[in-house]
């Protein structure tokens, strides 16, 4: 017994904007992490834990999609 949750237009736009900001932030963190990784390789002191956590965060961030199922249903019925 799943309840259908409806999201109004304003909430949907807010979520999409938030995800766009989060994805931009993750790209900036990726570039920063790449620079740190190169620096650690040069120094020959590499710690993998932070990079594993960053990869997991990237996978979560870039696989989340916000879809408006109500719009799709309405457009198909027309």
């Amino acid at each position: 017994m799943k309840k259908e949750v409806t999201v109004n237009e304003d909430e949907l736009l807010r979520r999409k904007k938030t995800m766009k900001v989060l994805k931009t932030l993750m790209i900036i963190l990726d570039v920063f992490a790449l620079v740190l990784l190169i620096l650690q390789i040069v120094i020959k002191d590499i710690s993998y834990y932070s990079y594993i956590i960053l990869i997991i965060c990237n996978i979560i961030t870039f696989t989340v999609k916000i879809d408006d199922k109500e719009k799709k249903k309405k457009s198909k019925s027309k």
Side-chain angles (χ1 to χ4, degrees):
M1 294 177 142
K2 288 187 177 180
K3 286 186 174 180
E4 286 212 21
V5 178
T6 57
V7 180
N8 63 11
E9 194 71 27
D10 295 333
E11 179 68 18
L12 184 66
L13 289 174
R14 185 190 66 78
R15 288 180 185 181
K16 286 183 179 181
K17 184 178 179 183
T18 303
M19 282 306 295
K20 185 176 180 181
V21 169
L22 181 61
K23 286 180 181 181
T24 305
L25 178 64
M26 289 304 294
I27 291 170
I28 292 169
L29 285 175
D30 289 339
V31 171
F32 182 69
L34 185 62
V35 170
L36 285 177
L37 180 62
I38 292 170
L39 184 64
Q40 286 181 354
I41 289 172
V42 169
I43 296 173
K44 296 180 182 175
D45 181 33
I46 300 174
S47 62
Y48 294 103
Y49 302 112
S50 60
Y51 298 106
I52 292 171
I53 293 171
L54 184 64
I55 289 169
I56 292 170
C57 289
N58 278 323
I59 290 170
I60 292 170
T61 302
F62 289 108
T63 56
V64 170
K65 293 188 180 189
I66 300 175
D67 292 332
D68 186 12
K69 294 179 182 179
E70 293 294 320
K71 276 188 171 180
K72 289 180 182 178
K73 287 179 184 177
K74 288 180 182 177
S75 63
K76 286 182 181 180
S77 64
K78 286 185 179 180

